[in-house]
Amino acid sequence: MSCLALSLQPANGSDILLQTREWFPPARALIALHAFRQTRLAFSNKSPSSVAATSSSSSSSTAETSAATESIGDDPLSASSGQLIVGVESKYRVVYRLVNSIYVLGITTADHDNSINVFECINIVNQAVSVIVTACRGVDVTPEKLSRKYAEVYMALDIVLRGVSNIRLAAMLSYMHGDGIAKMVHSALDTEAKIRGADTWPAVELHSTEHQSNIEAFSNASFELPPETLAAGDQKVSTIVPQSTIEQDEKMIKAEESEAEKDPFAASEAINKQEDLVGGFKKTKDPSATDLTLALAGLEVTTLPPAEATQSTDITVEGFEGKYGGIEFGSEQATLGEAFEGFTDAWGGGLDASEFLENKKVKKQEGLSGLELLQTGDSAAPTAAAAGADGGKSLENLLVKSTEMKGPEMYILEEISAEFRESLLARVGLMGVVYLRTMPPRVSGDKDTEFSFRVEGTSSVKRFVIQSSRCSSLGNGMFHVRTPPSEEPIPILKYSLLPRLTPLPLRVRLIKRLSGTLLSVMIQYVSNPELLAPLTDVTFVLKLPVDPTLLKVSPKAVLNRSERELKWHVPEVPLKGTPGKLRVRMPLDSADIDEELEVVGYVKFSVQGATSLSGVCLKPATEGKTDFYEVNHRYQSGVYTCN
């Protein structure tokens, strides 16, 4: 960029204003300004102490005479404009213009490869001169006059520093007196189009839609010829084309039809035959068909494991005490299939189905096998009709209530990511987005949504990013938004928090132990007691290193073998209390045993409430004025892991 900073520096006195780009540190701009002042005083053979002593003189006539002498005198930088390179290690080029004892300075880097366009920097300084001359209503520019229009000058120089055309600059200057800052900032969105005579998009959108509909109509149009015309054309073709060619075409058509009849995928004629229920059963006179011993001859029965395999293993590892493995047979299990029901693939292999199903027998209904439940008369018709009418009415009322909006709505969506290693927090980050939901276009028409608001609770915010096409910053946490209506929520602000000030809703710890061939994993979790409401519907996902053959979990979990994931669902995490524990044990093959087995846990949650997790809140710009409605905020987990 050609110009990095703009400043207003009086010939005598402290600087009035400094405006810098986002990536240029203000400290470096102040160094360049100080070097420019020192160079100017050195050229005029005056020291800063003498200037300060002269400016604090008690005699008004003597002070005015000395100030005039010092501001003009033999100062070689008192010319109307010029350039100066300042600095020792970091060199900067200062482009200046003198307007009635006030220097308008533009700061850029002192390049040696001509990569900086100095003329563009000079143009920006000239535009800044136009701003202060307009603010002071003439060339008699003084610090007192600038202080009366300080806010307007500040915002105008901020826009000029980022680059502005002469058309927009003229529009801004015309609104500087009497129309307010917001009018001046947003005045030039359509100014260039209006001056050049171009139409706005809403005015020409109708013509574009009509043109598109005409294209679609002509593309889908079909024209049919009368039968008389077609017959006359066929007759004419028959006189032109030789008769042998027509006969060959007819033979080819008949051959294609015969091939189509032999299509193996064509529908069978058996579909049209009448069903014969009795004919489908044929009696057989072979006596071996009823012999059960011949039917069971090829059945292989797996032998049961020895008695030692049914015994459980006693584990004494701290935190994982208990007995694992083994098979118990109960008297209530009548068959072998019921005994091993928990080890089928339907329940993930190793999870007991009795923990998920209730052992209740359904009473068998007597009668015509449920046919008596069918309604054969018209008695159910009025009830169904009444229920349908009431249901439709209630559904319509529900839809109307859900779409009612009193005005523009704003809410915050935050996403927090964290990584825990053992019990230590390795890294954390939170990013928030402020969304604006405008009134629907069918309600507001083409009227833009425009209002101002302020953001509070930003002490922990690291940086803000603004969507400049819809929102602008007024300083001091104030923002002004102007946007056309939209059906979808519009992101207008994004922010991130400092890592050391980011609140954690949940702390997680993963412990892994390998004893021989038995792998034991435990996840401990505890909620942040400063949360306003406890976390609900929290999901813990554990990525297993191998596909388990046997598995024991506490509490109940769901196993996904294809992804090798074990998933717990916790309905609620209390704010205060003992940490929750999720345990899993599984045996490993000797080939899979490794001291650096990768076991990673993920946490997923989503919370919706009246406040945000970071404490950032949205308020109207003016107390008591409702320009928008603040609806429920939401924060959710991003990449929340422990390993």
Side-chain angles (χ1 to χ4, degrees):
M1 192 64 187
S2 60
C3 191
L4 301 177
L6 283 175
S7 177
L8 301 180
Q9 185 182 95
N12 298 305
S14 59
D15 296 342
I16 299 176
L17 183 143
L18 174 62
Q19 187 69 266
T20 63
R21 299 303 300 264
E22 294 85 350
W23 59 82
F24 187 61
R28 295 192 178 185
L30 292 175
I31 293 174
L33 294 178
H34 179 71
F36 177 80
R37 185 188 297 273
Q38 293 295 330
T39 304
R40 182 168 55 84
L41 296 178
F43 283 169
S44 59
N45 296 325
K46 296 186 288 292
S47 63
S49 60
S50 62
V51 174
T54 306
S55 60
S56 61
S57 176
S58 59
S59 175
S60 59
S61 60
T62 307
E64 293 176 356
T65 304
S66 61
T69 304
E70 292 163 0
S71 61
I72 300 176
D74 56 351
D75 189 351
L77 300 182
S78 62
S80 61
S81 62
Q83 302 179 28
L84 181 66
I85 296 179
V86 298
V88 180
E89 296 180 356
S90 299
K91 294 184 178 297
Y92 300 97
R93 183 187 301 273
V94 181
V95 179
Y96 66 90
R97 279 194 62 180
L98 181 62
V99 183
N100 193 25
S101 76
I102 291 183
Y103 287 93
V104 180
L105 307 178
I107 302 173
T108 183
T109 57
D111 64 316
H112 300 285
D113 54 357
N114 298 324
S115 61
I116 301 298
N117 189 353
V118 181
F119 295 99
E120 187 176 352
C121 185
I122 295 173
N123 183 40
I124 292 176
V125 172
N126 293 337
Q127 290 179 343
V129 171
S130 302
V131 169
I132 64 173
V133 169
T134 304
C136 296
R137 299 180 183 274
V139 295
D140 188 16
V141 180
T142 61
E144 292 77 13
K145 291 183 179 180
L146 290 176
S147 63
R148 299 191 193 104
K149 287 287 183 179
Y150 188 84
E152 288 81 357
V153 172
Y154 183 90
M155 293 302 300
L157 291 184
D158 180 68
I159 298 174
V160 167
L161 180 60
R162 282 157 177 77
V164 65
S165 62
N166 292 331
I167 297 175
R168 184 175 180 182
L169 178 64
M172 288 170 46
L173 298 181
S174 64
Y175 288 110
M176 180 169 289
H177 294 282
D179 289 316
I181 299 177
K183 188 69 174 178
M184 181 186 68
V185 172
H186 296 283
S187 62
L189 296 179
D190 301 327
T191 303
E192 296 189 18
K194 292 179 181 178
I195 292 178
R196 295 191 176 113
D199 295 330
T200 58
W201 173 246
V204 300
E205 184 179 9
L206 179 62
H207 303 290
S208 174
T209 306
E210 183 179 358
H211 179 68
Q212 187 66 25
S213 62
N214 292 336
I215 292 176
E216 294 177 357
F218 281 107
S219 300
N220 300 327
S222 61
F223 303 93
E224 296 183 0
L225 295 176
E228 295 80 5
T229 306
L230 295 177
D234 294 338
Q235 185 178 4
K236 182 66 175 176
V237 169
S238 63
T239 59
I240 298 175
V241 181
Q243 189 68 21
S244 60
T245 308
I246 298 176
E247 293 177 356
Q248 291 179 0
D249 293 342
E250 292 178 354
K251 291 180 180 180
M252 292 178 61
I253 293 173
K254 291 181 179 179
E256 292 178 357
E257 290 178 354
S258 62
E259 291 179 359
E261 292 177 357
K262 297 178 182 179
D263 186 4
F265 297 99
S268 175
E269 295 180 358
I271 298 178
N272 300 326
K273 292 184 180 180
Q274 189 175 2
E275 295 183 1
D276 189 6
L277 298 179
V278 180
F281 297 94
K282 295 181 180 180
K283 294 184 179 181
T284 178
K285 296 181 180 180
D286 187 5
S288 62
T290 58
D291 191 359
L292 296 179
T293 58
L294 296 176
L296 298 176
L299 182 63
E300 296 182 0
V301 180
T302 306
T303 58
L304 292 176
E308 292 78 7
T310 62
Q311 301 297 327
S312 59
T313 304
D314 191 6
I315 302 300
T316 59
V317 180
E318 182 180 358
F320 299 93
E321 299 85 355
K323 294 183 177 181
Y324 301 91
I327 304 174
E328 296 181 0
F329 297 94
S331 58
E332 70 277 0
Q333 296 176 344
T335 63
L336 190 65
E338 294 179 0
F340 288 92
E341 186 180 4
F343 294 91
T344 59
D345 291 337
W347 298 97
L351 298 181
D352 191 1
S354 62
E355 297 181 355
F356 299 90
L357 300 177
E358 295 184 359
N359 235 343
K360 295 182 180 179
K361 293 185 178 180
V362 181
K363 185 178 180 182
K364 188 175 181 181
Q365 298 289 341
E366 298 180 357
L368 301 175
S369 300
L371 296 179
E372 67 276 1
L373 299 179
L374 298 177
Q375 180 66 36
T376 57
D378 297 334
S379 59
T383 306
D390 294 340
K393 184 177 180 181
S394 59
L395 179 61
E396 184 179 357
N397 294 337
L398 180 62
L399 290 174
V400 170
K401 290 182 180 179
S402 62
T403 56
E404 285 183 355
M405 289 181 61
K406 299 180 181 178
E409 296 177 352
M410 297 184 70
Y411 64 93
I412 299 174
L413 175 60
E414 296 179 337
E415 183 176 287
I416 181 170
S417 302
E419 180 183 355
F420 294 90
R421 296 176 183 172
E422 292 286 344
S423 60
L424 301 178
L425 178 63
R427 50 185 174 178
V428 64
L430 185 144
M431 187 182 72
V433 183
V434 179
Y435 284 93
L436 168 66
R437 184 184 289 111
T438 63
M439 297 293 290
R442 56 183 174 78
V443 177
S444 60
D446 296 335
K447 183 179 180 182
D448 291 351
T449 300
E450 182 177 6
F451 59 89
S452 299
F453 66 96
R454 71 176 188 272
V455 181
E456 296 182 352
T458 59
S459 58
S460 59
V461 174
K462 181 180 180 181
R463 61 173 301 184
F464 269 102
V465 178
I466 307 173
Q467 188 178 4
S468 57
S469 61
R470 304 177 187 271
C471 183
S472 59
S473 174
L474 303 179
N476 246 355
M478 300 279 291
F479 298 92
H480 186 84
V481 61
R482 179 184 180 183
T483 179
S486 174
E487 293 286 352
E488 301 296 331
I490 303 171
I492 58 175
L493 286 177
K494 287 187 179 181
Y495 61 89
S496 59
L497 298 189
L498 294 169
R500 58 185 178 85
L501 299 178
T502 302
L504 287 174
L506 194 71
R507 294 193 68 89
V508 188
R509 178 187 182 188
L510 188 143
I511 305 174
K512 178 181 63 176
R513 297 288 184 269
L514 184 62
S515 300
T517 60
L518 185 64
L519 175 63
S520 303
V521 181
M522 180 173 62
I523 297 178
Q524 291 180 323
Y525 59 92
V526 63
S527 175
N528 188 347
E530 297 182 0
L531 294 179
L532 299 180
L535 296 177
T536 57
D537 296 331
V538 183
T539 302
F540 294 86
V541 180
L542 183 65
K543 295 284 287 188
L544 301 177
V546 295
D547 188 9
T549 55
L550 293 176
L551 195 65
K552 184 176 179 64
V553 296
S554 175
K556 295 180 292 184
V558 178
L559 176 63
N560 186 349
R561 282 192 177 276
S562 60
E563 300 291 339
R564 294 192 302 188
E565 290 182 351
L566 196 61
K567 186 180 295 184
W568 288 273
H569 178 263
V570 179
E572 181 177 336
V573 180
L575 297 179
K576 297 181 180 179
T578 58
K581 297 179 181 179
L582 307 173
R583 303 178 182 179
V584 57
R585 295 176 180 83
M586 56 180 289
L588 301 176
D589 295 338
S590 58
D592 298 332
I593 296 177
D594 188 2
E595 293 295 335
E596 297 182 358
L597 286 174
E598 185 178 2
V599 182
V600 184
Y602 299 90
V603 188
K604 300 178 181 179
F605 55 85
S606 179
V607 179
Q608 187 172 359
T611 59
S612 62
L613 177 62
S614 61
V616 176
C617 58
L618 308 173
K619 299 294 182 182
T622 307
E623 294 293 340
K625 186 177 181 182
T626 307
D627 292 329
F628 65 93
Y629 294 89
E630 185 179 10
V631 297
N632 285 340
H633 308 302
R634 188 176 68 182
Y635 65 89
Q636 61 188 14
S637 60
V639 183
Y640 215 93
T641 63
C642 57
N643 50 29

